[in-house]
Amino acid sequence: MGKKLQAGCVDPAEIDRLHETFIHASADLARDLHAGADDPAIRRFNLAAGMAFDVARRSIRCANEALEDLRTIHRIARIGNWRVRLDDHLTSWSEDMHELFGTDPDRFVPLFDVLTGQMDETDRTAFLATFRTVAETGQAAAAEIRIRGAEEGARRWFWIDMRPETDDTGAIVAVRGICQEITDRKVALERIRYMSSHDPLTNLINRTHLLERLDQILGEARRRRENVALLTFDIDDFKGINDLFGHAVADSVLREIAGRIARQVRESDLVARIGGDEFVVVQAGCEQPELVETLARRLLRTIADPIVLADGREIGISASVGIALHPFDGMTPGALLAHSSQALHVIKKERPNTLGFYDASVQSEWQKRRALEQDLRLALQHRELSLVYQPMFCMRSSLCSGFEALLRWNSPTHGPVAPDLFIGLAESIGLMEEVGTWVLREACAEAARWAVPLTVAVNVSPIQIQQGDLASVITETLNTTGLPANRLEIEVTESMLIRNFDRAVDTLQRIKALGVGISIDDFGTGYSSLATLRAFPFNKLKIDRSFVRDLAEESESLAIVNAVLGLGRGLRLPVVVEGVETERQADILRDCGADAIQGYLFGRPSPISAYSNITDPRVTSRRRLAV
């Protein structure tokens, strides 16, 4: 039979009865001693007794106040007390315990089996084991258990601290427990744990948790000798969606894509968002690559379905996917994810909106590119970049009219790196504006030191035209170096002119207003038209070397060169022909009326010191063409 657990304390009424007993005892003592109440001994006895009773009353009052405070604390902290006698499992609950479980102390019988019967099976086993340990060893112990709540499926968490109770002989006769509900704490901890392992936007697992789960999946796959596929998806031109529709819409697109992917895979597959617009699917037990490809194509089709916004607008979307297979492409989570990302990088560069498997044969090239990118970021600081100069000669005067400054990178790790390679890298990793500014300042500073007032031509990148404030950079450079504006030419390619046409026109007009010359480089290889030539403030045309390489009197190249020269004369623009390597080519161009020529025949790109005979006024006679 269960009973209510009472806190042990002394009833104040008992003190009053004890006080009356002492009064009678004092009277009897005075009578027996034939002394009156005023006898010194009797008075000392009564005084000591009164002080003892005062101390007892104050102690009881303090103890009861402390007990009441403890009950309040228990109530606020949702703590209850219970006691189980070992010989018959007679169970007692405190009032707080009844309040904790919502039971009526006058009707509810807190049997031991009733308490344990409400626990989940695994928790009940753990609780009983802990209970036996306390009863047998006399050592305190604690356990966390879940108890079924009133609502279907609801669980309440409790922390239980158990301690032994002994009798006068030291034998363990009961187990006392303190029970505190920790459901809110458990829910909060679970929420924190969930947030640390999941992406808050899509509720998919994040990169950290993906690697943890993937490590387990790969370990199991090795034991079962199974394959595992890892697919890394990336939304094509997601930045464009951000720019056009805003971040809120972009976030809703990511949530929609996450849902689409999750609905297309098996329950046992992993789906994660590892950053930005990048998603990962992990599928174990895939023995045939063809099935992985089928899954990838199905997901790409699902992602490509238009997304309809609340206002009725539609967003067209596509994605690319890189695939890596365990154990062929990697044995660890990090290797598998890295190789899948490499495959994605290659496929996005070559043909977006499709899939690609990891190919070990391209790994070295991919890694070399990454190494180049890292080293290029430090090349300026380490003084590995330099300029070389190639002269341009006027056909009429046979004199050098100026130099074109060309950028070179001689890496201590990779050796001389081709300009076509590292300039493209600089543009792709966001270094071109910084590198281009350095080239401009170095070239202008060098030209300012020449005693002969020759021009210096500097190639500029589309990045400098479209993103930076090139006109301001040129103004600051000319002011700093002291080079006159009319001695500087900038060279732009045709392809950069079609990117943001209006901005390009505005930038070049501002530059021309400074007095700086502007040349269109590699003319004939891009997309320029007569309208383009009229719209942009060019001072010069440069014919690409590809039309000179097989130049002959009756060749198609000759016809093109003659056409461009005629166009230049019609627009009153001087024409420079690049890539002249033989005397025959020079003779043909002279006969055609070319204004200026440049090429290996007259000088290879070299440090400016190699052309001191041109920049030094004391040897001007050597500045003429040797043909």
Side-chain angles (χ1 to χ4, degrees), residues 72-147:
T72 301
I73 293 172
H74 279 201
R75 186 168 57 256
I76 295 173
R78 300 184 64 79
I79 295 175
N81 304 313
W82 54 266
R83 177 179 182 272
V84 176
R85 207 160 62 187
L86 294 182
D87 55 357
D88 56 5
H89 276 192
L90 180 66
T91 304
S92 302
W93 280 13
S94 68
E95 292 182 2
D96 296 322
M97 193 74 175
H98 283 286
E99 291 182 8
L100 196 59
F101 282 85
T103 55
D104 186 347
D106 297 325
R107 297 182 180 181
F108 179 76
V109 179
L111 299 175
F112 187 70
D113 291 341
V114 173
L115 174 64
T116 58
Q118 297 182 67
M119 301 177 187
D120 283 4
E121 183 176 352
T122 55
D123 292 346
R124 180 167 58 251
T125 301
F127 172 83
L128 292 175
T130 305
F131 184 90
R132 285 193 297 271
T133 298
V134 175
E136 293 171 1
T137 66
Q139 300 293 321
E144 288 185 358
I145 62 167
R146 287 162 292 181
I147 293 181

Side-chain angles (χ1 to χ4, degrees), residues 278-292:
E278 201 166 1
F279 298 86
V280 166
V281 172
V282 176
Q283 189 173 77
C286 47
E287 299 307 312
Q288 299 178 3
E290 294 81 5
L291 297 179
V292 179

Side-chain angles (χ1 to χ4, degrees), residues 464-481:
Q464 294 171 274
I465 294 287
Q466 303 293 347
Q467 296 181 11
D469 189 355
L470 183 58
S472 296
V473 173
I474 290 175
T475 300
E476 188 272 335
T477 300
L478 294 176
N479 291 335
T480 301
T481 61

Side-chain angles (χ1 to χ4, degrees), residues 259-275:
R260 291 181 180 184
I261 294 175
R263 289 190 293 271
Q264 289 293 324
V265 300
R266 304 174 305 188
E267 187 175 350
S268 58
D269 296 337
L270 287 183
V271 182
R273 180 189 176 212
I274 61 174

Side-chain angles (χ1 to χ4, degrees), residues 19 31 127 146 179 264 289 294 352 372 379 410 465 532 605 608 621:
H19 189 203
R31 185 181 60 251
F127 172 83
R146 287 162 292 181
C179 183
Q264 289 293 324
T294 300
L372 279 172
N410 189 15
I465 294 287
T532 302
I608 196 62
S621 60

Side-chain angles (χ1 to χ4, degrees), residues 327-349:
F328 314 106
D329 301 329
M331 297 293 290
T332 65
L336 206 60
L337 186 59
H339 291 166
S340 176
S341 297
Q342 290 177 21
L344 173 64
H345 174 83
V346 172
I347 205 68
K348 281 184 73 72
K349 183 177 180 181

